[in-house]
Each structure stands twice: as structure tokens, then as C-alpha cells.
Amino acid sequence: MSVSSVMHRALFAALLLVGTHAFALTIDYDPRRATELRACDDARYRGQVQQARDCYRRLLETSGNLITQAEAAWALGDVQRANTLFREATARNDRSSQPRVRWGRLFLQTHQHGDALTLFQEALQRSQNDVYAKLGMAQVFAQRFEGQARTIVDEVLKQDDTLIEAYLLRARMDLEEGQLENVDATLDRAQHLADRQRLPPLEIYALRAVHEQIKQGRRRDQWIERALSYNPRYGAIFEQLAHFEVMRRRYREATQLLKRAVEVQPDLWSAHAELGANLLREGDFAQARIHLTTAYSGDPYSATTVNTLRLLDHVDKFEVSSTTLEIPSINGGTFKTELRTRLDPKEADVLRPYVRKLAAESIETFAKRYQFEPREPIALELYPNHDDFAVRVAALPGIGLLGVTFGYLVAMDSPAGRATGEFHWGSTLWHEMAHVFTLEVTDHRVPRWLSEGISVFEEWRTGPTPGVVVTPETIGALHANKFLPIADLDSGFIRPNYPEQVQVSYMQAGLICLFIEQRFGFDRLVALLKQFTKDTTTKRAVEDTFKMPTEEFDKQFDAFVRERYEPLLANLESWQAQYQQASKAIAESRWQDAIEPARRAVELYPEHSGPNSPYLLLARAYDKSGNRAQALQTLLDYRAAGGWDPDALRELARWLDEAGRGREALEVYAALNYVDPLNGDQHTVLGERYLAAGNHEDALREFRVQLALSPHDPAPAHFGMARALRALGDRAASRRHLLDALETAPHYKPAQALLLQMIEERKRNE
Amino acid sequence: MKREATGYRLQATAIHSSAQRGREGLRATARGLLFTASLFMAAPALSDTHALIIAGLGGEQQYEQRFRNQAKALAEATEKLAGDKSRVTVLMGERAQRDNVRKELRALAARTKRDDQVLIVLIGHGSYDGEEYRFNLPGPDITGSELAALFDRLPARDQLIVNSTSASGAAIDRWKRDNRVVITATKSGGERTATRFAQYWLEAVTTKAADTNRDDVVTAAEAFEFANRRVADSFKSDVALATEHARLEGRGAERIAVARFGNAVLATSDSVLSALYTERAGVERELDALKQRKATLEPEAYYDELEGVLVRLATLQQRIDARQAVLRGESE
């Protein structure tokens, strides 16, 4: 068990989801660019396609400069030839940095960040002050949302304050992080330099339009008009605007913008790709496929496009089903919500009942708590192959997310997507369903930190594993004063400065929600959320809700968490020592020696119920020392604190049974379905318990799930179904399952007895 | 995952074995032995089960311990099947050196008869160099070819060889014979990672989980199906690429018993019970025949016919149980 729950979850989380492609028609601001390209560039920047193509073609054929030829080939869309020419140019000019910088840019545009970085580094080895090589690196880091990007930009501007590209990149990062104060000044400076160097203003116009869009200014369309009047085919301005809408999870708005992008520039492949990805976020698989196919036809180098197209072929085979849920309404009566599930056919029959049950419970819970009734069908997609899920949400395999919410659409790992015990799929579903509400209540305006905070908080408060679970990394960050001010908390998700910062930010956001609930009451958390039904900032929303400056809020929150974790913070080293001592004693089977340090570790840090929890050490130590009663109580405490390790729960259920506490054992077995539903044994156990308790519907569900798992031995499930159906009055189906049981296991005595009883009854009724 | 064993113990003082060859051979043994019902039906007269279990070199402490434990547990289960400890030989640790393996296999060949059943289980690590499989033993390894030659000396008509080692699939083609079922943990010599198969095979023969038809006998076919499934599930549960894929070669795995449970043990000299067993064997044959025809019948017709056969089987079982109770009462 390595990772779990919140740790790897990032909502529309990681900004990987907003796409990592370079925008088309990027402008080379390097003064070393050959002057013979200028005329062609001008035509291109003005949208004079044919003229530009003729010009570049002429250069490709006639220029004696390999770099010029490479640039011409690149502008003509022949990236293979450009690649060959750049290779030749670098070979012939081994000591020159510029060919490497431009070759690196080609790799950047064709999505090969690793190769691009290598070339920028090689350029810097040849010329350590090459600012365009540095900016190339900054572009890579910025596209990957890595914190170094800003440092490099600051460094190159210190070196040379006339670099247009550096100002543009700084403005763009400011816009992405919502730091709007200096954007105008930065763009003014870029504009001034572009005018002076007679370079096109298109990228500046695009960022100005973005700025207006973010601050709800009135001049967005003016900048669009100016850009289009400069270049009627400048689709990239819409693509930029869409990018920022996607970042705010405003997918519908993004779709409209991307449609305009491909309308004005039909060969803007990156916009087709993004439009396809965005339509997938909205659940429109058919239209998505069309645009992705178009993108692929023009840009076959995009791994994200290729991966997504492959996934679509696979997902076509998924089972799609729909049900209408009737949920108690906040205004009395009920309301109806359609729930659509898209599940792998191999596990659909196993998961569907639990997915529907949990989704219905979450909708009822959140509708009541956040006073909002869903207005559209909610779609849930569960992927048994984690890489498929990763491609579905970010088009790149290998990312560490568990679930992603795109409004009314949730995609997540199915329980088969990770090793048993690695994640609690029920909590993940609960977390994502909370996002559905926070996003839709605010029409997607909710800031990232608050949406994540509420989802984490709801996991603790109302989820299938209630209990506040705070990771040691979070305690470490608190101890090291690394919590961020609330007004800046989004940056902890967007551009983390240390490896665990995203995870810590989740926890901090959850703790802020907990603080609000405990200090001001839950209603005030709802009130804070509802501030975002209009356009506002975190700073303003906090001030309006709590009538205090954010600095004061931060101060009170800090006091709250420090008081909450006071014993642990004061004894952090001691806790670590106790924990290690207990672990060592357990590893050496010195059970008695493990008890006291493990007990003390639990006492100091009772919220450590995630992986490697000291509760598990303590329970084991007690049990092995012959103190089953204390061991059992420890596991009960562990579960109450939010622990859900499936092996521990199975042990707990067994111990409860042995202690004659069958009803509690039943509850624990049932809880296992939301951790590890693909283990057939518990379904049989549960089915039998439900039958014994007269709960025939639930018994039927469990036996049916057991059969859906295609067990090695299907007879007990058939026999269970036969008895449940018989109790429910469906004699014909009962007979069929009884015969199925005996067909597999003809000597199955309890089934034989029921068969003879059935025959006897039939005779009596004849 | 693991089911509890039900604790049934064979009561026989000596068990004449299990292997079924056709269903014609209902014969009581001279000593009034106890059999599980279905085995009794087909057990040939005076046939014994002999077993050899070898735990090879572990290399590391954890494997050394694991292989020894598995061998011991398997031996215990096999002794119950064979009904006589002397018919089960276990080699492990230093005793599992090549010379001893040769010696024990020759001795096994010498003491078994044509009607006997032979079970051989290899636990441990194996290797394959592209030409030859090797079973890793303390000291020099033994090759697949040499083992093949030693196995070929065995006169027993029913032979089961379970090679649960890594790379075991490399040996399967060389070992398979008409009268022999060979099971390997891996599909080829290329699957070289330490295997999980042995632990699930052990579960199959020590619990009733593998006994899908509920006749209190686990056959090689049932045990293979169970262990194979469990191995696949374990990789699935770990979301790990499966590094082993078990194989079974040879006919008759469904006739070779590898474990036996239950108290269906009665004096075979009782003519009433014998007649009931004979009758039940006939109904079982009918059931098998009906199942073969399933695809050709309309579902309703199939289930109607199935019900008739199963009712007769259930009724017969009631009579068998009643008779067994009477006999048990007489003997107590």
C-alpha cells in the first residue's frame, strides 16, 4: 500500500488537463532570425497564406542558409524536412547555439519536451548567456506547469530587459495564476518593444483579450477584432482564450471559442485537438472523434491526440447504462436526476449496483447540504486500466490522478485500476461527486482550492470512510510553516514549489473547510461557496463572508490548526521515534515491546489512519500478545478514524464474528465493497448474512455480483440466488438458479435438499 | 480469500486409492476399507497412491522457508489421500540433493505397480538456458532430461507430475506421456520469475475450495483450474503483469484425485450401499451425457430434463446418507 485517497487525486486537478500543446503561429522574436525570412513571416503573420507559402517555398529552394531552409520547411508544415535541415545545420555549426535553439523550438511545437530541453541545454553549453535557449527552457517548464519557469524568466529579464517573449511568458503565467496586478504593465512593455522592433502584436493582443476575459472586462472582443484585422486567420487568439476557460473549468465556453478558432483557421490542428479533448470533457464522443481525427491528419506527432483516438476505439465497447434516481428534495417531495454510467463490460455487472447506490447517496447528501439540485444528467465513467483513465482525462498515460470531474461528467479509476488496498474507490467517487456540486452551484467559478477543500472535507464528514485523515506530509508542512495564505492557495495546486505541495494544498484546503465549519458553522461554508455564483476573487469572497481581511482569516486558521495538532507539533520527533520503535519491534516479532510505542504513536497522532497507520501496528501487537479484545478495539478505532485498509477490515470482520458481534461484522463486510468489490468471497459472506437477516433484496444483489465475477465455484452464488429469489416470490427464477447450482455441483447437499423440497411443494400444489 | 477447511478427516486405516479408471470397477477390498463415495465407484482393486514431494533450493531465507513449509503441508495432505504415510516421501533441504532425487525416483519406480497412482510435486526454483530445464537443488541441479528419464521408469498407469517452479514450462513437452498428466506453473522456460502457483496448489489440496462438484474429492483438473485462477487473480489484484501462466498437458486430470475430504466413508462390503453407489454412478453418467447435449436442447427442455436427473441423484444421496448412518451406528 503506497498511496491513497486524496494524496493522488487532483480534480480537474493537475493542470496537465488543460493541455500542453504549444500554440500555433508562435513568433520567433530572436534578432538572429535571418532577414531573408522577414518578408515571408510578414505575409504569414498577416494571414496571407498563399503569398507566405510561395515565399517560404522559394527560400527553401534557393537559400544557401540551412537554418533559413529549415525555418521555411517548418513554416510550410514539413516538420520532417525541417528536422533534417536543423540536424544538418547543427552538425555544420557545432559551436553555434542558435540552430540548437530553433531546433529545440521545433521539438517543443511537436510535443517532444525531453528532446527540446536537451537541445536548449546543448545551446547553453555553447553559449551560456543565450537568452533564447533559456526562454525555450522556460517555455517547456511553463507548459508543464513547473515552478522553474518563472525563475528563468526573471533571470533572463535581468540579463536583457528588451526580450518580448520573456514579457509575454511572464504575462501568461500571471494570467494562469490569477495574479492580474502587473499584467497590463507587462503587456504594455511587450507592446512597446514589438512596435519598436516592428514585430507583429498578435500574441500581445491575445493575452490582452485573455486578461479582459478573466477580469470580465468589456474590451475582450475589441482585442479579438484588432487581432483579426491584423490577421483574419489568427485562430490562435480563440485558442488562447479557450485555454484559460478550460483552466477555469468553463468547458462550454471553451468549446465555443475553439469552434471559432477552427472556423477562422481550419488548419489550426492544435485547436482541433483541444476542441476534441474539450468535447470529451462534455461527454460528446462523436464530435470529439471528428476533431481529433482532423487534428491527427495535420499533426500526427501529438501523443495526446493519438492516445485519445486509440482510447475512443476502446471505450466504444464500454457498457453505457442509465437510470433515473428519485432523490428527496430540499423543498420537500422529490426530484429526479438521470445517472449515466459508462463501465467496462468485464466489470459492469459487479460495479453498477455499488456505483449507483453510492452516487444516489452522494447526490442526496450534497443536494441537501449545498441546496442545489443537478440540472443535467450526471455521467460516471470508471476505467479498469489506469492508463486508459489517464488518457481519458489528460491524454497522457502514467499520471497519478484517481478521479477527475468535468462538471456533470466524472471519470475515475475503477477498483481494478490499482492494486488492492491502494485506493478507496468509494471515497474517490464521493470526492468527485462533491466537485460536481461545487462546480455546478457556481457555474464553474469556484476556485480550485475551495472545490478541492470541500471535496476533501466531505470525504471526512459524509463520505464512506468518515474521519479526518491528515497525512504526515501535511503535518510536516504545517510544522515548517509551509501552509499558504488562503488568497494564494490556488498556486499550491497550479505551480507547486516543492514535491508534496499539491498534496499538502489538498489537505490545507480541507482543513480550512473544517475550520470554517467548526468556527463559524457549516452554513458559512455554503455561503462562501455561493459567493462564487458571481465573478469574484478568493480575497473578496472571504472578506464578504467572514467580514475580515484574508490576513486575519489566515491568522485564525493558523491558530486553529496549531491548536488542533498542538500535542503532535510539540512532540513531532518523539512521535517519529515511537512510531519507528513500534515498527522495528513488530518487524522483529517483539509484540509486547511494540505495544507501548504504538499506543503512544496513535495517541499523539490519531488522524494517521492512512497507509502504514500506527493503529495497524498496535492492533497487531495486541493480537499477537494474546490480547484480542484490545486488538479488536484498536481496529474499531482505526476504522472510526477513517482507516480502510482491506486486509485490516477483513481481519476486523472476522474478529467481530468470533466475538459474536455479527451485526457489526456485517457492516464491515459491506464497507469492503467500497474498497475491494472485486473479491468474490465477501459477496458470498454478505449474501448469506443478508439472507439470514431476511434482507432478500440485498442478498440477491450480493449473489448476483458474485456471479458477475465469474467465480471458480459458482454453485454457492446460484444457490444463494435461488433462495433469495424464492423468498422474494420468483419461483421460476429460483428454480433455474437452483438447477444451475446443481449442474455445477451435483453433490451439493443443501441444494439437493432444496430441490427435493421444491418438488415436494410442487406436488402438494398440483 | 482462503476458505477454511471443513475439518473432515478420512477415517480409513488404509486407503486403497483414488484414481478412477472407468466406472465399471465397483469392488470391495478385503479389509472393508472406507472410501469417499465417488472414488469408491471407480477405484481399481488393490491400487495405491504413491507420492514424492521435492522442495528445491530456496537460495534466500524467505524462499527456503516457504518451500519447506509448502512441502510439509503438501505432504500432510497427500498422506491423507494415500492413507499411509509410508507412501509419501518428502525431500527438502540437504536431503534434496541430486543423488537423493535420483535414488528416490528409482525407489518409487521399484515399489509402484501398474495399477497404482503416482503423484510427483516439485517446489522451488527452476531455470532454462534455452536448451535445458534445470530444477535447482542444493549442490548440482538436475536437468529436465534426466528427470524425464527417471519418470519414464515409473510403471504406474496414472501419473501426475506437478512442476511448480519458475521456467517449468520448458520441461512440459519432454515429460508428457499418454499415461501422464503434467502440470507446470509457467507456460515456457521464458517465465523465470519466482512463481506463486505452489501456494495456490496447496490451497487446492488442503481446503475444499477447489471441490466445485462437491463430491468431497479434489481432482487434478479441479486443483489446476483453482490454482490457475487464483494465480491470475493475485496478479490482477496487484495490478501487476502476470509473470506466470500455468499449463496442463495430458488426459485424465479429472480422474486423478489429489485430495479427499468428508465422511463418506463406509464399509464397502455392505451390499446395499454398493448397489446404491452403482446406481448413483449410472445417474452421474446420465447427467454428464445430458450436459453434453445442452447446446442442442431448448433451455426449457434442458432444465426439465436436468431437474429429473438431479432429483434422482438427490434422492439416491438421501438413501446413501441414510444407509451410511445406519452402518456408522452399527460400527460405533
Side-chain angles (χ1 to χ4, degrees), chain B residues 84-157:
Chain B
D84 185 343
K85 284 186 178 184
S86 69
R87 297 202 188 106
V88 178
T89 305
V90 185
L91 296 180
M92 56 188 180
E94 285 305 306
R95 286 198 62 222
Q97 293 202 22
R98 186 171 65 183
D99 286 347
N100 266 345
V101 172
R102 288 171 175 158
K103 197 174 114 194
E104 285 302 333
L105 277 168
R106 287 190 193 114
L108 186 63
R111 73 169 173 268
T112 51
K113 302 179 294 292
R114 180 174 159 69
D115 284 340
D116 288 344
Q117 169 176 285
V118 168
L119 310 181
I120 296 171
V121 183
L122 310 184
I123 299 168
H125 299 303
S127 60
Y128 179 62
D129 59 11
E131 289 185 6
E132 186 67 274
Y133 164 80
R134 283 183 168 75
F135 180 34
N136 302 163
L137 299 172
D141 295 340
I142 191 164
T143 65
S145 303
E146 189 175 358
L147 282 167
L150 289 160
F151 295 154
D152 286 347
R153 292 172 173 225
L154 297 166
R157 195 163 54 186

Side-chain angles (χ1 to χ4, degrees), chain B residues 10 15 17-18 49 77-83 117 119 257-260:
Chain B
L10 217 56
I15 297 299
S17 181
S18 50
T49 292
T78 312
E79 281 163 10
K80 285 172 199 157
L81 172 77
Q117 169 176 285
L119 310 181
V258 293
R260 191 162 28 189

Side-chain angles (χ1 to χ4, degrees), chain A residues 350-644:
Chain A
V350 178
L351 295 181
R352 198 186 311 100
Y354 306 120
V355 169
R356 283 184 177 173
K357 186 166 182 283
L358 201 58
E361 284 170 14
S362 71
I363 293 167
E364 183 176 345
T365 302
F366 299 139
K368 193 172 166 193
R369 280 167 76 81
Y370 296 97
Q371 299 138 35
F372 177 83
E373 293 171 4
R375 298 182 185 124
E376 291 182 24
I378 296 174
L380 301 175
E381 299 174 9
L382 274 74
Y383 291 84
N385 181 333
H386 173 73
D387 280 347
D388 283 348
F389 160 69
V391 169
R392 170 71 180 89
V393 299
L396 292 168
I399 60 170
L401 311 177
L402 297 173
V404 170
T405 303
F406 299 114
Y408 284 109
L409 190 153
V410 171
M412 58 181 277
D413 274 332
S414 96
R418 287 176 179 270
T420 302
E422 256 194 18
F423 90 122
H424 190 288
W425 77 269
S427 288
T428 300
L429 179 63
W430 199 264
H431 179 108
E432 301 305 331
M433 289 298 289
H435 281 312
V436 173
F437 281 77
T438 51
L439 283 170
E440 296 306 331
V441 164
T442 60
D443 196 17
H444 293 224
R445 290 185 184 89
V446 62
R448 178 159 288 108
W449 76 265
L450 182 57
S451 194
E452 292 298 358
I454 287 177
S455 282
V456 171
F457 169 74
E458 288 297 345
E459 274 190 73
W460 294 342
R461 274 284 175 263
T462 59
T465 57
V468 176
V469 181
V470 173
T471 61
E473 290 80 8
T474 308
I475 298 297
L478 175 64
H479 190 250
N481 297 314
K482 284 183 172 175
F483 275 14
L484 291 170
I486 192 168
D488 294 337
L489 190 46
D490 265 358
S491 70
F493 293 93
I494 296 171
R495 234 173 230 111
N497 283 316
Y498 57 93
E500 310 85 27
Q501 192 171 16
V502 173
Q503 295 161 12
V504 169
S505 300
Y506 273 94
M507 291 284 146
Q508 184 188 341
L511 286 167
I512 288 174
C513 295
L514 184 70
F515 162 65
I516 293 170
E517 180 209 44
Q518 301 209 343
R519 177 64 52 85
F520 306 100
F522 176 72
D523 289 349
R524 206 73 79 83
L525 180 61
V526 180
L528 175 63
L529 177 68
K530 294 205 168 174
Q531 290 285 338
F532 294 95
T533 54
K534 59 182 185 297
D535 282 298
T536 187
T537 60
T538 292
K539 194 171 167 55
R540 209 181 311 144
V542 168
E543 286 170 1
D544 289 350
T545 308
F546 302 102
K547 312 297 177 206
M548 66 174 82
T550 53
E551 293 77 11
E552 176 59 23
F553 182 93
D554 288 334
K555 212 168 124 190
Q556 291 192 20
F557 169 66
D558 188 64
F560 167 79
V561 282
R562 286 189 190 283
E563 188 187 337
R564 184 178 176 90
Y565 298 106
E566 193 274 328
L568 178 58
L569 291 170
N571 297 285
L572 207 52
E573 283 181 14
S574 164
W575 173 78
Q576 280 167 341
Q578 305 277 5
Y579 180 76
Q580 281 163 8
Q581 202 180 325
S583 303
K584 191 165 184 289
I586 293 278
E588 292 167 2
S589 306
R590 290 184 288 108
W591 313 115
Q592 282 291 352
D593 294 349
I595 290 176
E596 190 47 32
R599 196 193 57 73
R600 182 76 183 127
V602 168
E603 190 178 79
L604 280 171
Y605 189 1
E607 293 175 6
H608 187 197
S609 56
N612 307 314
S613 167
Y615 285 101
L616 301 180
L617 300 180
L618 183 58
R620 187 140 186 243
Y622 276 135
D623 184 50
K624 294 285 185 183
S625 304
N627 191 342
R628 172 63 63 80
Q630 284 284 13
L632 193 156
Q633 187 55 49
T634 304
L635 283 189
L636 285 171
D637 294 343
Y638 163 72
R639 184 160 179 250
W644 51 262

Side-chain angles (χ1 to χ4, degrees), chain A residues 416 418-420 679 681 710 712-713 716 735-736 740 742-747 749 752 756 759 762, chain B residues 1 212-215 225-226 229 237-239 284 287 291 294 300 302-304 307 310 317-318 321:
Chain A
R418 287 176 179 270
T420 302
N679 177 352
D681 288 358
S710 306
H712 167 252
D713 179 8
R735 170 183 178 258
R736 179 65 68 94
D740 283 337
L742 285 164
E743 182 191 39
T744 316
H747 302 282
K749 286 190 183 173
Q752 286 181 328
L756 295 179
I759 299 296
R762 195 191 295 158
Chain B
M1 298 285 282
T212 47
N213 70 355
R214 303 294 196 283
D215 64 354
E225 171 65 23
F226 174 85
R229 172 75 75 111
S237 169
D238 294 346
V239 194
E284 284 174 341
L287 178 62
K291 280 154 79 171
K294 185 175 182 177
E300 280 311 314
Y302 173 73
Y303 279 101
D304 285 348
E307 181 184 284
L310 290 171
Q317 188 61 49
Q318 279 189 333
D321 290 347

